[in-house]
């Protein structure tokens, strides 16, 4: 680009620069640092005192994850509201969404809203289970209803003997009922484990793929509980042993439902008798976690609830599990550096299969173009045919 082209002024609406920065989650200082300009220059751009060049606007649009055209609108667009925040610090105060999390929420909502409109146009029935849980429904009742909805019997689950297989099978059953299941590794796991969008035509959940399979499985069940309650939200699922606020009570309830759904207490009480947990607690936890294809934390919590172990035993088990998880994360980071995953495989991991099937169904019905498909799936054009052949429309 010539120096003359770089200096061409972009005749945009300055207020849109403020809107773009704030909705992307950046402070003036952070945005200026990333744009490699002073805060004074950025403030002058946002006030209209100094005009932005087209070259500068391209950098701004890239940082804020917005199309350049949006900055030429007369006023900020409406329609995007950040979903409810269920993450809390120990003192109960909410934490702010990072720019990466804000962008991820916006991206998932764009896909979910597109799916909503398409399913309405195709006269697909609503998902009647969204928001179907009455206040009087107990933890056990909701967990049993969730299992019945997705058609997975506990005996079938115990035959899997693999957490990876367990997550995949649950995901397939959930998607078969119309729920979009997304994954992403772009946000740190200590900030967000998952979130849910409780829409009757296109309910959606996202789980953090940085987590282990057992952690992802629990997150999936937790977010499904949000769908049945009809409550959108971003969660980190930090345990709260004495919930006091509404937010804490909802998260504690969803945690309990997820645990009961994955490991029904009645069945667990029978299976636990087969293990010598009093003599070797860790071996018993490992054995039961393998039996149900769940995390060790879920099993330790079930033992505590069944009064099989004392609080100190539970704390010790949880600390041991955390150390093992930290080692897993460390090993995973090293292995990922060397692993080359095919692009289509990555897209299917991140979008699930329900969403791309819907996209290709729309393509087959001539409702969207090739460009729409690659845009919705974050897919390069050279992978279009491979993805099309991988996804069986209508299967």
């Amino acid at each position: 680009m010539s120096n003359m082209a770089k200096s061409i002024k972009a005749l945009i609406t300055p207020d849109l620069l403020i809107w773009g920065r704030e909705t992307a989650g950046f402070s003036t200082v952070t945005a200026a640092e990333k744009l490699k300009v002073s805060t004074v220059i950025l403030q002058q751009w946002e006030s209209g005192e100094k005009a932005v060049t087209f070259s500068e606007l391209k950098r701004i649009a890239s940082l804020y994850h917005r199309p350049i055209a949006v900055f030429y609108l007369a006023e900020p667009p409406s329609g995007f509201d950040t979903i409810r925040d269920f993450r809390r610090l120990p003192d109960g105060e909410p934490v702010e969404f990072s720019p990466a999390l804000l962008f991820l929420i916006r991206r998932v909502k764009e896909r979910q809203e597109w799916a909503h409109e398409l399913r309405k146009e195709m006269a697909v029935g609503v998902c009647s289970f969204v928001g179907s849980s009455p206040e009087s429904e107990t933890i056990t009742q909701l967990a049993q209803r969730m299992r019945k909805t997705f058609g997975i019997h506990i005996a079938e689950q115990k035959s899997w003997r693999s957490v990876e297989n367990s997550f995949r099978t649950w995901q397939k059953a959930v998607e078969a009922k119309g729920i979009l299941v997304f994954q992403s590794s772009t946000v740190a796991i200590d900030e967000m484990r998952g979130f849910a969008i409780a829409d009757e035509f296109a309910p959606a959940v996202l789980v953090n793929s940085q987590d282990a399979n057992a952690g992802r499985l629990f997150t999936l069940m937790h977010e499904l509980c949000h769908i049945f309650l009809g409550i959108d939200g971003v969660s980190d699922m930090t345990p709260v042993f004495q919930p006091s606020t509404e937010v804490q009570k909802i998260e504690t309830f969803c945690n309990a439902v997820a645990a009961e759904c994955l490991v029904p207490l009645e069945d667990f009480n029978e299976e636990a008798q087969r293990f010598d947990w009093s003599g070797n607690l860790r071996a018993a936890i490992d054995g039961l976690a393998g039996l149900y294809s769940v995390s060790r934390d879920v099993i330790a919590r079930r033992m505590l609830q069944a009064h099989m172990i004392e609080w100190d035993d539970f704390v010790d088990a949880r600390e041991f599990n955390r150390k093992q998880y930290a080692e897993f994360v460390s090993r995973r980071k090293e292995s990922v550096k060397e692993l080359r995953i095919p692009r289509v495989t990555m897209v299917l991991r991140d979008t699930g299969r329900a969403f791309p099937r819907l996209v290709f169904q729309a393509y087959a019905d001539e409702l969207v173009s090739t460009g729409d498909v690659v845009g919705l799936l974050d897919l390069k054009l050279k992978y279009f045919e491979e993805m099309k052949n991988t996804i069986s429309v209508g299967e």
Side-chain angles (χ1 to χ4, degrees):
M1 185 181 291
S2 67
N3 290 333
M4 181 176 294
K6 287 182 179 180
S7 63
I8 294 176
K9 304 301 180 184
L11 305 179
I12 60 170
T13 307
D15 285 348
L16 269 298
L17 294 176
I18 300 174
W19 167 84
R21 174 176 56 76
E22 291 180 344
T23 56
F26 290 109
S27 66
T28 304
V29 173
T30 303
E33 288 177 353
K34 290 186 176 294
L35 291 169
K36 293 181 170 49
V37 298
S38 69
T39 54
V40 173
I41 293 296
L42 180 57
Q43 289 169 346
Q44 288 176 337
W45 286 344
E46 293 183 348
S47 67
E49 183 180 345
K50 181 178 178 64
V52 178
T53 67
F54 189 75
S55 177
E56 291 163 342
L57 180 61
K58 286 178 65 178
R59 286 160 43 208
I60 292 170
S62 176
L63 176 62
Y64 298 165
H65 293 289
R66 296 288 186 179
I68 289 177
V70 77
F71 296 98
Y72 286 89
L73 297 175
E75 58 185 24
S78 59
F80 174 71
D81 295 316
T82 303
I83 61 181
R84 190 171 181 180
D85 187 3
F86 285 97
R87 307 162 311 143
R88 288 296 181 272
L89 294 172
D91 60 3
E93 290 298 317
V95 290
E96 293 184 355
F97 290 145
S98 70
L101 179 53
L102 279 170
F103 176 66
L104 180 60
I105 293 171
R106 192 168 77 235
R107 184 61 175 138
V108 170
K109 287 195 73 172
E110 286 171 353
R111 287 169 163 172
Q112 180 271 324
E113 288 169 358
W114 182 90
H116 172 104
E117 293 304 320
L118 183 62
R119 284 178 171 173
K120 282 183 67 175
E121 185 173 335
M122 296 170 66
V124 175
V126 299
C127 299
S128 59
F129 51 80
V130 177
S132 64
S133 181
E135 290 186 9
S136 59
E137 192 166 33
T138 66
I139 291 168
T140 301
Q141 288 170 340
L142 179 52
Q144 289 175 345
R145 192 158 63 86
M146 285 170 60
R147 270 195 175 276
K148 185 176 181 180
T149 298
F150 302 119
I152 295 180
H153 193 275
I154 187 62
E156 177 190 356
Q157 180 182 323
K158 288 191 292 186
S159 70
W160 297 336
R161 300 302 177 97
S162 162
V163 178
E164 182 177 3
N165 184 38
S166 181
F167 177 77
R168 273 201 306 259
T169 307
W170 271 106
Q171 179 179 358
K172 184 177 180 180
V174 168
E175 290 184 322
K177 291 298 180 180
I179 299 176
L180 306 176
V181 180
F182 299 102
Q183 296 189 66
S184 176
S185 59
T186 60
V187 177
I189 199 165
D190 56 359
E191 179 183 13
M192 178 277 301
R193 287 186 178 271
F195 60 79
I197 302 174
D199 178 86
E200 62 178 356
F201 278 99
V205 301
L206 177 135
V207 300
N208 196 322
S209 56
Q210 290 190 32
D211 207 350
N213 283 308
R216 280 186 258 178
L217 176 59
F218 190 84
T219 298
L220 176 63
M221 306 312 295
H222 176 103
E223 301 306 339
L224 289 177
C225 183
H226 273 275
I227 296 294
F228 275 72
L229 293 175
I231 302 174
D232 297 354
V234 177
S235 310
D236 62 10
M237 283 157 286
T238 301
V240 179
F241 297 104
Q242 292 183 327
S244 57
T245 67
E246 179 193 1
V247 164
Q248 291 173 341
K249 289 176 181 177
I250 291 173
E251 287 299 86
T252 300
F253 181 81
C254 288
N255 280 342
V257 170
E260 176 64 24
C261 193
L262 290 171
V263 186
L265 197 55
E266 183 178 354
D267 187 88
F268 179 76
N269 282 332
E270 295 180 6
E271 292 290 356
Q273 303 307 316
R274 307 175 194 273
F275 290 84
D276 183 17
W277 51 267
S278 59
N280 191 335
L281 179 57
R282 289 178 185 173
I285 291 175
D286 286 345
L288 287 163
L291 174 64
Y292 289 101
S293 299
V294 297
S295 70
R296 296 176 180 87
D297 274 347
V298 171
I299 297 301
R301 178 62 64 99
R302 297 272 83 179
M303 284 183 164
L304 181 67
Q305 292 170 330
H307 305 291
M308 295 175 182
I309 60 175
E310 300 295 329
W311 175 258
D312 290 344
D313 294 324
F314 169 72
V315 172
D316 289 342
R318 191 176 56 173
E319 289 304 312
F320 178 74
N321 295 341
R322 286 180 176 178
K323 289 179 181 178
Q324 286 195 320
Y325 179 74
E327 292 173 1
F328 160 81
V329 171
S330 179
R331 291 194 304 270
R332 183 186 181 92
K333 285 182 179 179
E334 291 302 316
S335 64
V336 167
K337 290 179 183 177
E338 303 175 359
L339 191 62
R340 292 185 177 181
I341 303 175
R343 180 58 187 165
V344 168
T345 301
M346 286 290 291
V347 171
L348 288 175
R349 184 206 68 178
D350 292 346
T351 65
R353 287 184 174 265
F355 183 70
R357 279 177 180 155
L358 187 62
V359 171
F360 276 100
Q361 181 65 63
Y363 176 77
D365 294 343
E366 299 183 346
L367 297 175
V368 297
S369 66
T370 302
D372 292 328
V373 172
V374 297
L376 285 164
L377 298 179
D378 287 335
L379 191 71
K380 290 183 179 179
L381 186 58
K382 65 180 181 180
Y383 297 114
F384 180 89
E385 288 299 326
E386 182 182 352
M387 176 64 85
K388 182 181 176 183
N389 293 334
T390 303
I391 294 296
S392 298
V393 177
E395 181 181 292

